[in-house]
Structure formats: structure tokens, C-alpha cells
Amino acid sequence: TSDSCLSVKIGILTDNYPEQTNWFISAKDGSVVVSGGDYTESTTSYVQHQCLEAERFYTFHISDTDGDGSGSYQLSLGKKTFIEGEGFNSSMQHKFMLADTDIVIVTPKRKYANEGNAILVSGSKLAGKTTD
């Protein structure tokens, strides 16, 4: 339903070779929900908004075709950033679930994220809380 749709802001800062950077968000079944790339301007910030369903698992993937990605990325819900990173080399993945407008569950930043040790990001501050 549209009530469970939450607007996620995806920010990408390209490096000196913007055409090498691509990203996508996939659903748990592997289907691609949204993607970005084909950037033309170096060291430029690109922003895209995507509505994602609450209480579903997603994976954010970012890659650099030459393996030297030095740009950065940031995913936000409202004013809260729940995934960010820079210098992702060839690729990086983050699994996450939007619980509601105030809570996001994120796995640790890894080249290949696994399912353990989720981090709960909630409230108005970005203080991460590790759960077992």
C-alpha cells in the first residue's frame, strides 16, 4: 500500500571518472527496484529520491567498473542518514530494512554484507546501536 511507502534520498558524489560509477537497490528476491549511473560530470553530487516499501529487506549495491571508486554515497530517510561511505574501490553492498519513518535496520558495511550484527539507526541522532 502507499501508506507503507517511504521516500529514500540517494546521494552519489562522483570521482574523476564518473562514467565508471553505477549503483542499484535490489529487493530480497534480487529484482532491481531503482538504479543509477551513466554519470557525466566528475566530482559532482547527484541526488535521486525513491519510494521504498516499509518492512521489506533491500540491498544497496555500488560499483566502479575500473575498481578504483573514490567517490562517496549516502542514503537518507528524512534528515537521517542511514548508509554512507566513500572509497568503495570495485564494489560495496549494504543490506537494510526501513521499519518506519524513524527506524532503519542496517547490516555492517562490508564488501559482501552478511546477515549478522545489524545496526539499528533510530531517533533524531545517528547514534548506531548494535543488536544481537
Side-chain angles (χ1 to χ4, degrees), residues 95-112:
K95 291 185 181 180
F96 66 97
M97 183 188 79
L98 307 171
D100 61 31
T101 58
D102 204 38
I103 298 173
V104 181
I105 298 167
V106 185
T107 62
K109 179 172 75 171
R110 298 230 170 121
K111 186 169 184 178
Y112 300 103

Side-chain angles (χ1 to χ4, degrees), residues 22-42:
N22 294 285
W23 63 269
F24 65 93
I25 294 175
S26 60
K28 191 174 184 179
D29 66 4
S31 61
V32 174
V33 178
V34 61
S35 62
D38 295 323
Y39 299 119
T40 56
E41 300 294 322
S42 62

Side-chain angles (χ1 to χ4, degrees), residues 1-2 7 9 19 24 30 35 39 42-43 46 55 61 63 65 69 72 82 84 87 102 116 119-121 124 130:
T1 63
S2 60
S7 180
K9 177 181 168 185
E19 68 282 355
F24 65 93
S35 62
Y39 299 119
S42 62
T43 60
Y46 290 88
E55 298 185 12
H61 309 255
S63 63
T65 56
S72 63
F82 63 91
E84 62 183 345
D102 204 38
I119 296 171
L120 180 65
V121 180
S124 59
T130 303

Side-chain angles (χ1 to χ4, degrees), residues 7-86:
S7 180
V8 172
K9 177 181 168 185
I10 303 134
I12 304 294
L13 177 64
T14 58
D15 60 12
N16 290 327
Y17 303 96
E19 68 282 355
Q20 297 175 354
T21 300
N22 294 285
W23 63 269
F24 65 93
I25 294 175
S26 60
K28 191 174 184 179
D29 66 4
S31 61
V32 174
V33 178
V34 61
S35 62
D38 295 323
Y39 299 119
T40 56
E41 300 294 322
S42 62
T43 60
T44 299
S45 181
Y46 290 88
V47 175
Q48 186 167 334
H49 294 269
Q50 179 66 33
C51 194
L52 297 175
E53 295 293 315
E55 298 185 12
R56 300 223 172 127
F57 287 95
Y58 297 97
T59 304
F60 172 75
H61 309 255
I62 188 164
S63 63
D64 184 283
T65 56
D66 215 33
D68 59 357
S70 59
S72 63
Y73 55 91
Q74 184 177 69
L75 274 68
S76 307
L77 182 62
K79 294 184 178 186
K80 291 177 275 303
T81 296
F82 63 91
I83 289 175
E84 62 183 345
E86 61 181 292

